[in-house]
Amino acid sequence: AYRKTMVRRGRWILDPRTTPALSQWDFCVLMALAWTCVAVPFQIAFTVESQIDVVFVFDRVIDLIFLTDMFLQFFLAFERTEGDAAIWVTNHKEIVRQYVSGWF
């Protein structure tokens, strides 16, 4: 049978199961990704010259959202399956190692 165990959480580690703001943050990142998927191809195809306007500033805000999300990933606990047990990894060094070797 599949069982879950809890390991003591390190300082500054965010647990997705107990941090409700993370789902709101994920939605924000999803909206930023949707904007990027639509706006960037349009800008590449139809923008002749670069200028500092509302769209430029909005794009920098989107970049800031993505950079913040990359930073948060270094402090986000993740679930690892070991045999029939699901263990939440909360050790900061292991989280960094997992993120850098996988998605970074």
Side-chain angles (χ1 to χ4, degrees):
Y2 190 72
R3 63 186 169 104
K4 291 189 175 201
T5 58
M6 176 76 172
V7 178
R8 188 168 175 224
R9 182 170 59 156
R11 189 175 185 187
W12 306 110
I13 302 300
L14 299 170
D15 189 336
R17 300 167 298 168
T18 60
T19 311
L22 283 176
S23 62
Q24 296 166 345
W25 176 253
D26 286 342
F27 182 75
C28 179
V29 172
L30 177 67
M31 292 297 102
L33 185 58
W35 168 261
T36 302
C37 289
V38 173
V40 170
F42 182 83
Q43 291 170 353
I44 290 172
F46 299 111
T47 303
V48 177
E49 59 187 54
S50 181
Q51 50 186 312
I52 297 178
D53 58 359
V54 175
V55 174
F56 177 84
V57 173
F58 191 72
D59 284 343
R60 298 305 70 85
V61 170
I62 297 294
D63 292 342
L64 186 60
I65 289 171
F66 288 136
L67 285 172
T68 303
D69 190 57
M70 287 174 56
F71 176 77
L72 283 176
Q73 295 304 313
F74 286 102
F75 299 94
L76 189 62
F78 68 95
E79 189 176 30
R80 177 180 17 202
T81 304
E82 293 182 3
D84 63 344
I87 298 173
W88 280 89
V89 177
T90 56
N91 179 286
H92 189 247
K93 287 182 182 180
E94 287 186 53
I95 292 171
V96 169
R97 187 179 312 121
Q98 171 73 17
Y99 182 57
V100 170
S101 67
W103 287 100
F104 191 67

